[in-house]
Amino acid sequence: RRGLLSVRKGVGTRVAATDDDWRGRFTASSRGELFDFARASEFHVTDRTTIEARGRLAGEMGIRPGRRLYRIAGPRFLAGETTPFSYNEVYLDPRLETVVSRIDVLREAIFTLVETHAGDRVEEIRQEVRALHMPVVAAHCLGRAPGDLCLRMTRRFNGSGGRLLEYAVQYHPGDTFSYQTTLSST
């Protein structure tokens, strides 16, 4: 399921990759795979601020305009590498600021920290991938030109009653991103 084995008739089964290289592909069809992704990468927090969600952002999040949120942002690296593969933004309820305010490099899934401190379990994660032109801040961080094509992945982490616990955004350069799924007949 994770693309690590290659099976060919008459040849047999072989290990196709010894490490899961998230730079060339991204798959996440379960909470467990999001955990794996977080452990294989490092989110370097370079920006922290409190914002008011308005307009398009509030609409995407499904929240009332003017709601205050704590925002952290920065590049994400494959562990041990020096070139980031994405630019991330994470929006949380301001009451959860203390959960991440002292973390400079995060090597785990933020939603697990949120669940622990908010006392509410993530019941649903909605993902969307959209092609668009890279915003200036993401382009600068990733060494790209503003306006280059990128893929923007958003995740809305919902708790009980559909309550928003976390909203995460990742910008990936369009030429380095691949999303793979496997459909089975069962």
Side-chain angles (χ1 to χ4, degrees):
R1 283 190 2 236
R2 295 186 53 207
L4 299 177
L5 298 177
S6 172
V7 180
R8 291 185 55 195
K9 186 177 180 180
V11 175
T13 303
R14 66 179 184 84
V15 176
T18 56
D19 293 320
D20 205 0
D21 187 352
W22 293 97
R23 289 170 302 191
R25 67 175 187 83
F26 181 85
T27 60
S29 58
S30 69
R31 288 172 56 102
E33 288 177 357
L34 284 176
F35 286 131
D36 290 346
F37 172 69
R39 280 192 296 265
S41 64
E42 298 175 344
F43 176 24
H44 291 235
V45 179
T46 57
D47 184 34
R48 304 166 199 276
T49 188
T50 300
I51 62 124
E52 285 189 12
R54 300 216 176 268
R56 185 178 53 87
L57 181 62
E60 287 175 359
M61 291 182 178
I63 60 174
R64 65 174 169 68
R67 180 173 167 189
R68 295 179 59 80
L69 297 167
Y70 184 66
R71 176 188 174 272
I72 60 174
R76 185 175 288 276
F77 299 80
L78 193 62
E81 299 222 347
T82 58
T83 303
F85 64 86
S86 71
Y87 179 78
N88 292 33
E89 299 173 326
V90 177
Y91 299 86
L92 302 167
D93 186 292
R95 292 174 292 176
L96 298 170
E97 177 179 343
T98 58
V99 175
V100 294
S101 64
R102 292 194 170 97
I103 298 173
D104 293 323
V105 178
L106 191 63
R107 295 176 183 95
E108 61 185 299
I110 292 175
F111 73 88
T112 60
L113 298 172
V114 170
E115 286 178 327
T116 301
H117 291 84
D120 195 357
R121 187 177 191 297
V122 172
E123 293 184 358
E124 176 183 67
I125 303 169
R126 291 185 178 207
Q127 292 187 132
E128 178 183 279
V129 179
R130 182 176 296 224
L132 49 82
H133 296 282
M134 193 175 297
V136 173
V137 67
H140 176 71
C141 180
L142 297 172
R144 301 297 176 115
D148 278 0
L149 289 179
C150 73
L151 290 169
R152 178 180 183 251
M153 177 176 280
T154 59
R155 288 192 195 90
R156 189 178 197 282
F157 296 81
N158 296 324
S160 59
R163 186 170 72 95
L164 178 67
L165 298 176
E166 174 188 342
Y167 186 75
V169 182
Q170 290 182 323
Y171 295 96
H172 296 266
D175 61 347
T176 63
F177 182 95
S178 172
Y179 186 86
Q180 301 174 5
T181 61
T182 302
L183 305 175
S184 65
S185 60
T186 58

